[in-house]
Amino acid sequence: MTTHDQAPPDGPVAPDPTLLATSEDQWSRVHVISPLVRGWIALLAIAFFAGRDLFEGVLIGEESPGLSDGGVRLPWTIAIIAGVVVLVAVGFMLSWYFTRYQVTEHHVRVNSGVLFRQNRQARLDRVQAIDVVQPFLARVFGLAELKFEVADAGESAVKLAFLKLSDAQRLRATILARAAGVSIDPENPEDIQEAPEREVLALQPGRVIASTLLSGTTIFLIFGVAAVVVFAVTLDAAAPLAVIIPLALGVAGGYWSSIKNGFNFRAAISPDGIRVRYGLLDTRTQTVPPGRIQAVGISQSPLWRTKGWYRMTVNVAGYGIAATGDAQARATLLPVGTREDVLQLLALVLPNPGTSEPIEVFTAGMEGRDSIAGFLTTPRRARWIGPFEWRRNGFAVTDTALLIRSGFFWRKLAVVPHERTQSLALHQGPVYRRFGVADLLLHTTPGPVSPRIQQVDQHTAWRLFHEQGVRAAEARRRSAPEQWMRPVEVAAATLMPPVPSYSDRDSREAPDNHRGEAHEPHPIEAHDPHPEEAQRAPTDHLGDTPDGQR
Amino acid sequence: MRKEPIDPDGLVWKRVSPKYLTVRLLGWVVGTVINLAIFSIPLVLVLTDVWWGFPPLWVAWALPIITLVICVWRGILIPRQVRAIGYAERNEDLLIRTGVFYQRTMVVPYGRMQYVDVAVGPIDRAFGLCSLKLHTASPGTNASIPGLPGDEGARLREQLSARGEAKLAGL
């Protein structure tokens, strides 16, 4: 949230058990002015078109249809516009009235629809991410939208638009606490404390703007303008110069979306996961619980190399792939950051790097080339396939993740935790066969990161293909439970663990503390009727999500 | 099955039904006839003097001939393509390989399968075949085995579901 002065700030908020429904019939509605906030664009559009017609009519005088009959039709026009506005408003009010939600111990349910009723239900422990979004107008009213994401690649399972900001935050804390497996005793709600949060990183507006100006968009602009000028000069005509206008508009749009999504970017860590906030006019707070990040991509465009900046993107099952700017912003873990910032955030995503020299290995992945720090590159005999990037192409395996390095001009590094690999494929075409190399693809959930080890020696590729399958299976067996705090030590849950960092060996083990293996009794007992089922429910990992009677 | 450089050692691939070759060839014949018919239209029009001069006669002849060459080439490849399809069940995962020129070997861990599709089309049914497709949480997993005998498809589906349930982990 950019509003620093706003009380309460969007900081840690205690889970509030009173938000959980106690009976099947206890339903809530979203805030009463939501229809206005949701419908204002429609109203504005009507006002704009109607107003423009009238306005132009006044300017042109008798020619306009609205005034052509000497003012006779003017009252009708106004009446029709008013009627449409009322109809739209009534529509939004009805939709508000018929939308009700309920959060129980295990599920979140939403009933909506006036004519076509829709009942939706999602399991809390299947949460992949929770967003609290404040579009500009909602911010004016102090409202926020809560988005509950499950692994169905794109569409939000549950959207509550709009709640009071404080309510949305408390609801988020409650849902995350429940999803983490912390149960709340309605008698003594004070027993459960807020999940503390520690800020890890904040971006200065100066860096956001500078990074935008040095981004790939600028390179595109330079090449575009150069092409246009060359055309104009060789053809000796001014016509190609007209292309500059759409080009400039596109570039300005790119700059704007990059600045507004990087503005006031802050990342924090809490036991509930990684939390990022950003936004200039619309603000967004995203929480990704531990273990929900499927793959991390680190990239560097050519101009950023001069400043040593990187960008981090993530694949999260609930976010999906949409090409819109919003979706891209959602999948961005760090819009711009130095190597240290990247390492810091990597330490949050991958608390155990699985190597004794994480800084060396990740740095080699980000900016190195050739076979250093455990990286294996394209064999020399295949250098003609990729004359520039063959020394960059490569991979390294640690105990917990696979690092995939590629790109000469646009440097890229993909990090995939072993337990998140879905399936693997080896590809080899005729040219690759001639050079004895192959590509190895790792399939992850939809997102901006698509890990592909390029042009690796075919025997190495096959060995990795085989070993990676074994490693992934092993890592899955060892991986943390879906409910990341269950069972949990109350002290560990409420005390903030130190922020993990690769440069400090002691704190590297820390994030495991709050996952605890302890089974000793304590006030907060996770009581789940079917603990085994909850963790290892066979078929419903994806299928269960927005199920119910859709 | 021929051993390719990217094939693993010590693995016995199961092949799809030989009848699948017939299905593919049938499809190929139909496709070839349709393609030839479409690309012969200019030739017919030129020869019947509906269009003169355009396109030049050699272009009108070249179109169907090139089409025929491409189709025949693809037809020659079909038996090899069908022979190249193989799958192997291992303890933890299923391996699938396809392709002659562009070879692909894919491994899908049982614990990663979200669901298994078995599809039977009308022509498949006439030959007693079915095709099986595995889905994981990744859209990149394009793991399908075409041309399985019906009972083998059913057996594989049951086997995969059972193993998937036993090994399933979270996302």
Side-chain angles (χ1 to χ4, degrees):
Chain A
M1 304 298 122
T2 47
T3 45
H4 303 282
D5 42 33
Q6 193 173 331
D10 181 25
V13 177
D16 185 354
T18 57
L19 290 175
L20 295 179
T22 45
S23 75
E24 285 288 305
D25 311 320
Q26 191 187 338
W27 294 85
S28 322
R29 287 202 183 86
V30 293
H31 199 278
V32 65
I33 56 171
S34 310
L36 176 69
V37 178
R38 284 175 58 204
W40 76 278
I41 293 182
L43 293 180
L44 202 72
I46 293 169
F48 174 73
F49 285 113
R52 196 185 60 175
D53 270 6
L54 282 181
F55 189 65
E56 281 177 356
V58 171
L59 283 185
I60 303 169
E62 303 298 296
E63 306 289 316
S64 132
L67 296 171
S68 56
D69 293 348
V72 178
R73 279 165 71 176
L74 185 61
W76 281 109
T77 315
I78 292 174
I80 289 171
I81 292 168
V84 170
V85 168
V86 168
L87 270 183
V88 170
V90 166
F92 276 101
M93 284 307 289
L94 275 179
S95 133
W96 167 78
Y97 182 79
F98 282 99
T99 303
R100 293 183 301 171
Y101 70 93
Q102 180 185 52
V103 181
T104 67
E105 292 268 297
H106 300 286
H107 292 95
V108 49
R109 300 193 179 95
V110 176
N111 289 353
S112 60
V114 182
L115 289 178
F116 299 92
R117 301 284 291 156
Q118 187 189 47
N119 303 329
R120 206 175 244 217
Q121 139 173 338
R123 273 173 65 161
L124 292 186
D125 57 356
R126 291 286 174 266
V127 65
Q128 297 291 328
I130 293 190
D131 287 12
V132 173
V133 191
Q134 283 192 291
F136 183 66
L137 200 71
R139 259 174 91 190
V140 172
F141 288 104
L143 298 179
E145 177 181 1
L146 187 94
K147 283 186 176 176
F148 181 94
E149 303 286 349
V150 294
D152 71 341
E155 202 191 346
S156 296
V158 173
K159 273 193 214 176
L160 300 179
F162 291 89
L163 306 170
K164 265 165 65 186
L165 178 60
S166 55
D167 284 349
Q169 289 165 348
R170 280 187 308 157
L171 197 57
R172 176 184 65 196
T174 314
I175 289 177
L176 284 172
R178 280 303 310 157
V182 180
S183 94
I184 302 160
D185 182 5
E187 309 287 304
N188 306 303
E190 295 78 24
D191 281 358
I192 179 70
Q193 309 233 340
E194 60 197 74
E197 182 181 316
R198 183 171 300 173
E199 187 160 300
V200 176
L201 188 97
L203 286 188
Q204 299 303 315
R207 187 194 280 179
V208 174
I209 292 168
S211 71
T212 302
L213 293 179
L214 289 176
S215 66
T217 316
T218 303
I219 297 172
F220 171 75
L221 178 72
I222 292 169
F223 276 99
V225 169
V228 166
V229 168
V230 165
F231 260 108
V233 169
T234 51
L235 296 178
D236 199 18
L241 293 179
V243 181
I244 295 226
I245 295 168
L247 187 74
L249 284 179
V251 167
Y255 282 162
W256 167 242
S257 101
S258 160
I259 288 179
K260 87 174 155 78
N261 289 326
F263 196 81
N264 207 17
F265 183 92
R266 282 174 293 155
I269 178 82
S270 87
D272 281 341
I274 298 172
R275 186 162 291 165
V276 298
R277 306 189 164 82
Y278 56 86
L280 182 61
L281 298 179
D282 306 349
T283 59
R284 205 179 251 277
T285 308
Q286 296 172 203
T287 310
V288 183
R292 259 61 169 183
I293 291 180
Q294 309 277 333
V296 185
I298 301 163
S299 60
Q300 184 178 48
S301 71
L303 289 179
W304 280 17
R305 207 178 292 189
T306 56
K307 307 288 281 181
W309 285 338
Y310 298 89
R311 177 187 174 80
M312 287 175 91
T313 47
V314 287
N315 286 1
V316 171
Y319 287 166
I321 32 166
T324 63
D326 262 6
Q328 276 177 15
R330 289 182 86 188
T332 302
L333 186 62
L334 176 66
V336 53
T338 60
R339 195 168 64 88
E340 286 69 36
D341 298 338
V342 171
L343 288 172
Q344 175 62 70
L345 282 183
L346 263 178
L348 304 189
V349 177
L350 200 68
N352 177 9
T355 161
S356 53
E357 294 167 329
I359 296 179
E360 287 78 3
V361 172
F362 285 117
T363 306
M366 283 190 275
E367 53 202 35
R369 57 180 195 186
D370 294 336
S371 299
I372 49 163
F375 275 87
L376 260 177
T377 55
T378 301
R380 189 174 171 80
R381 61 173 185 274
R383 64 187 181 280
W384 300 115
I385 305 178
F388 291 108
E389 69 266 32
W390 71 276
R391 292 172 70 184
R392 266 288 289 173
N393 287 341
F395 70 93
V397 185
T398 76
D399 293 342
T400 51
L402 181 64
L403 279 67
I404 300 170
R405 187 174 77 174
S406 63
F408 178 76
F409 295 107
W410 251 273
R411 287 170 168 171
K412 284 189 180 122
L413 174 71
V415 181
V416 187
H418 293 321
E419 68 268 29
R420 303 282 160 235
T421 316
Q422 296 288 333
S423 57
L424 301 164
L426 270 176
H427 287 214
Q428 191 182 48
V431 177
Y432 279 21
R433 191 150 47 246
R434 160 78 184 71
F435 286 101
V437 292
D439 277 6
L440 179 64
L441 275 77
L442 272 73
H443 301 136
T444 80
T445 58
V449 189
S450 40
R452 181 183 190 125
I453 306 179
Q454 302 201 27
Q455 299 149 24
V456 66
D457 174 76
Q458 61 193 19
H459 300 294
T460 314
W462 164 250
R463 215 177 56 237
L464 183 67
F465 180 73
H466 180 73
E467 290 172 1
Q468 194 60 28
V470 175
R471 266 196 292 266
E474 193 115 305
R476 280 198 295 278
R477 276 193 288 276
R478 279 188 282 122
S479 69
E482 289 265 292
Q483 297 181 326
W484 61 93
M485 300 231 294
R486 191 180 73 90
V488 74
E489 179 70 38
V490 66
T494 51
L495 283 179
M496 185 63 198
V499 175
S501 153
Y502 291 153
S503 49
D504 178 9
R505 278 202 67 101
D506 292 341
S507 61
R508 199 177 303 154
E509 318 301 331
D512 288 333
N513 292 348
H514 66 80
R515 286 200 189 127
E517 310 84 346
H519 288 271
E520 59 262 50
H522 67 70
I524 300 173
E525 284 253 285
H527 66 82
D528 191 320
H530 312 288
E532 279 315 299
E533 206 180 274
Q535 274 182 39
R536 305 237 170 266
T539 46
D540 55 3
H541 276 76
L542 287 174
D544 165 77
T545 41
D547 61 359
Q549 316 81 24
R550 208 168 174 178
Chain B
M1 182 178 295
R2 221 177 78 186
K3 174 133 173 26
E4 300 290 349
I6 64 167
D7 275 356
D9 292 320
L11 197 71
V12 184
W13 292 106
K14 279 193 193 164
R15 295 258 298 274
V16 298
S17 164
K19 284 190 223 155
Y20 180 60
L21 179 59
T22 322
V23 175
R24 284 287 301 269
L25 285 176
L26 267 180
W28 171 76
V29 168
V30 173
T32 304
V33 169
I34 292 174
N35 275 331
L36 268 185
I38 291 172
F39 285 101
S40 302
I41 290 173
L43 181 66
V44 172
L45 291 178
V46 168
L47 287 184
T48 53
D49 279 353
V50 179
W51 290 355
W52 338 261
F54 176 81
L57 193 61
W58 67 270
V59 175
W61 273 108
L63 268 178
I65 290 173
I66 291 172
T67 313
L68 190 68
V69 168
I70 293 173
C71 285
V72 168
W73 173 244
R74 286 177 51 192
I76 292 170
L77 279 184
I78 286 177
R80 289 183 59 193
Q81 280 174 345
V82 171
R83 277 203 301 273
I85 303 172
Y87 63 95
E89 293 163 81
R90 300 197 299 186
N91 276 337
E92 293 271 347
D93 42 34
L94 180 81
L95 281 158
I96 301 173
R97 83 184 292 305
T98 52
V100 179
F101 283 110
Y102 292 90
Q103 296 174 353
R104 202 184 69 166
T105 308
M106 174 177 282
V107 58
V108 186
Y110 297 132
R112 283 313 191 200
M113 286 183 317
Q114 298 293 336
Y115 60 99
V116 182
D117 262 349
V118 176
V120 186
I123 298 175
D124 278 353
R125 192 175 301 129
F127 285 86
L129 298 178
C130 65
S131 66
L132 185 133
K133 188 160 189 215
L134 303 180
H135 296 261
T136 69
S138 165
T141 309
N142 183 18
S144 54
I145 313 174
L148 287 170
D151 47 351
E152 168 71 358
R155 182 196 71 78
L156 206 54
R157 185 191 60 206
E158 292 308 316
Q159 181 89 359
L160 292 175
S161 308
R163 287 182 168 178
E165 252 172 60
K167 307 241 188 250
L168 198 109
L171 268 183

